[in-house]
């Protein structure tokens, strides 16, 4: 039987550690978000697109619940902004403009906080520039 993915915080030697176990981000959130993107990018010209998108979005609808509960009213998952937050926001950004993210106010605000940080904007701007220069050949 597969172990359930979970988020938990442990404190040792006065330091708080966020544990995402086992691969909670990727095993619970990312696959359904990527499946939705695949449908949007690769299948939109198909006659069955609307039905397929509806099915993928229905499957994804409950996906943010655990993460939303874990975040609660906090700014970041484990106190200060961390690599875990950046990885999580990177996945959640793929839902931008969809009700799947907009229907969960604390996660929408979480993504907006990360996107507003200058270092985040610089990092993703550099990533976009690299992608664009690679695509241009």
């Amino acid at each position: 039987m597969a172990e359930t993915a979970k988020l938990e915080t442990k404190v040792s030697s006065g330091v708080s550690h966020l544990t995402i176990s086992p691969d909670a981000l990727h095993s619970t959130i990312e696959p359904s978000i990527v499946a939705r993107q695949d449908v949007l990018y690769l299948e939109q010209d198909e006659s069955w697109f609307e039905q397929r998108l509806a099915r993928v979005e229905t499957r994804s609808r409950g996906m943010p619940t655990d993460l939303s509960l874990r975040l609660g009213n906090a700014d970041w998952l484990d106190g200060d902004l961390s690599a875990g937050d950046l990885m999580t926001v990177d996945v959640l950004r793929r839902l931008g403009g969809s009700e799947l993210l907009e229907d969960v106010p604390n996660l929408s605000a979480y993504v907006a906080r990360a996107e507003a940080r200058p270092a985040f904007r610089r990092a993703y701007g550099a990533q976009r520039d690299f992608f664009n220069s690679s695509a241009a050949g």
Side-chain angles (χ1 to χ4, degrees), residues 28-76:
T28 60
I29 296 173
E30 189 175 36
S32 38
I33 292 173
V34 170
R36 179 180 176 274
Q37 271 192 309
D38 287 348
V39 170
L40 289 170
Y41 292 138
L42 303 174
E43 301 174 3
Q44 61 183 297
D45 294 331
E46 302 294 341
S47 61
W48 36 263
F49 169 73
E50 294 295 330
Q51 294 89 351
R52 170 96 165 104
L53 181 61
R55 196 167 54 242
V56 169
E57 287 191 342
T58 296
R59 192 172 60 232
S60 300
R61 183 109 1 234
M63 156 287 294
T65 303
D66 289 341
L67 181 59
S68 174
L69 291 172
R70 171 63 180 83
L71 182 62
N73 292 324
D75 285 344
W76 309 112

Side-chain angles (χ1 to χ4, degrees), residues 93-121:
R93 290 178 75 224
R94 298 174 184 221
L95 294 174
S98 78
E99 291 177 3
L100 294 172
L101 185 58
E102 293 167 2
D103 285 350
V104 188
N106 69 331
L107 292 184
S108 296
Y110 173 63
V111 170
R113 270 191 303 281
E115 290 177 331
R117 296 181 66 97
F120 185 93
R121 290 195 309 269

